[in-house]
Amino acid sequence: MAQLSLGESRWRMLRRVLKKKRFRYADARNMTRHDQQHFDWLLDNEFFAVAGAGAFEVTDKGKSAADLGVFDWEPAAMPPARSRTGE
């Protein structure tokens, strides 16, 4: 397991909504062209959770990452090695 940086833009999005119980996408925006991509990444990696009707909530993982700007990451299992002969 490793600790990786969220990156400045993602960390700012997370910090903007940290104290809110529920929020909308517009509440988290940094007003940059990458906002949707960063928001989707935070949602896919379970820093945010869908609360319904266009609302979101910060998860426990998001709250812990917001403190330091890093998150615990464990790489996916390595696929079995293939031989060079194609067997």
Side-chain angles (χ1 to χ4, degrees), residues 24-53:
R24 299 200 176 277
Y25 167 71
D27 299 329
R29 287 208 59 202
N30 285 325
M31 300 303 176
T32 68
R33 63 186 176 134
H34 299 292
D35 282 351
Q36 186 64 54
Q37 179 185 8
H38 290 190
F39 189 85
D40 292 341
W41 185 91
L42 289 164
L43 193 58
D44 292 342
N45 288 285
E46 300 175 352
F47 292 89
F48 297 152
V50 177

Side-chain angles (χ1 to χ4, degrees), residues 58-77:
V58 179
T59 63
D60 290 336
K61 180 179 179 180
K63 289 175 185 173
S64 66
D67 291 337
L68 299 174
V70 296
F71 66 101
D72 292 328
W73 178 76
E74 190 166 335

Side-chain angles (χ1 to χ4, degrees), residues 3 8 10 18-19 21-22 28 38 44 48 52 55-56 60 70-71 78 84-85 87:
Q3 285 201 325
E8 182 73 20
R10 292 180 189 131
L18 188 59
K19 301 228 186 248
K21 183 171 182 164
R22 289 192 176 184
H38 290 190
D44 292 342
F48 297 152
F56 302 91
D60 290 336
V70 296
F71 66 101
M78 296 291 291
R84 291 183 182 204
T85 60
E87 296 176 357

